Amino acid sequence: MSDASVTSVRLQQQFGSAILAQHAAHGDDTLVVKREAWREIMRFLRDDPDLRYSFLMDLTAVDYLTMGRTPRYEVVVHLYSLPHNQRVRLKAPVPDDDPRIDSLMPVWEGANWFEREVYDMFGLTFDGHPDLRRILLY
């Protein structure tokens, strides 16, 4: 079993119904998760000895306004496991009428500027971010 498959299996075992969808392409897993479990799942991915996704590579958002998709937003994270040389992508749907999700600052301090950028460009709020303010726009 590949490391990517191990990631999917471990998350299914640990979080079950919080995993909304998953697929793999070119050896990389993508999992869609409930935003209510966002931070807990990220902490698990970082701390589980079989996974150890220690590096937050990227955090961004997608706005599906012109595509008519519901919910309107998705927050997207790319993680990398240095010990296992494995990447994983996680997405969490975020509705337009409640545009917020837990901050990942308590898990990775490197989420700081990524979250501020998403807040600035998309208007999504990251609950628990210690200094959520504009970073690019005046």
Side-chain angles (χ1 to χ4, degrees):
M1 186 181 292
S2 72
D3 286 335
S5 297
V6 169
T7 301
S8 293
V9 169
R10 294 286 292 130
L11 286 177
Q12 284 290 346
Q13 289 171 342
Q14 189 71 23
F15 296 99
S17 64
I19 309 302
L20 302 173
Q22 66 184 61
H23 69 275
H26 311 289
D28 291 332
D29 269 1
T30 299
L31 295 108
V32 181
V33 303
K34 289 183 179 178
R35 71 176 170 154
E36 295 80 10
W38 182 246
R39 187 182 301 150
E40 184 182 359
I41 288 171
M42 298 302 169
R43 189 169 279 125
F44 177 81
L45 287 167
R46 183 196 65 190
D47 296 343
D48 185 272
D50 294 330
L51 303 176
R52 295 180 56 202
Y53 285 95
S54 53
F55 180 46
L56 172 72
M57 295 171 49
D58 189 29
L59 183 150
T60 191
V62 179
D63 183 350
Y64 292 106
L65 175 65
T66 61
M67 300 177 82
R69 188 169 146 184
T70 304
R72 177 176 170 179
Y73 300 104
E74 248 180 3
V75 175
V76 182
V77 165
H78 294 95
L79 303 177
Y80 183 70
S81 172
L82 294 164
H84 301 292
N85 189 28
Q86 185 63 47
R87 293 181 304 257
V88 67
R89 176 184 305 110
L90 290 104
K91 301 178 180 184
V94 178
D96 190 22
D97 62 348
D98 187 18
R100 61 183 182 77
I101 192 167
D102 284 339
S103 172
L104 296 183
M105 284 278 302
V107 183
W108 293 286
E109 287 186 31
N112 184 1
W113 283 33
F114 291 128
E115 291 179 353
R116 287 179 59 195
E117 181 181 46
V118 169
Y119 167 72
D120 200 5
M121 302 302 291
F122 294 90
L124 303 180
T125 300
F126 291 86
D127 294 340
H129 190 289
D131 188 22
L132 196 59
R133 59 188 162 100
R134 293 191 174 278
I135 193 169
L136 299 170
L137 303 174
Y138 53 87

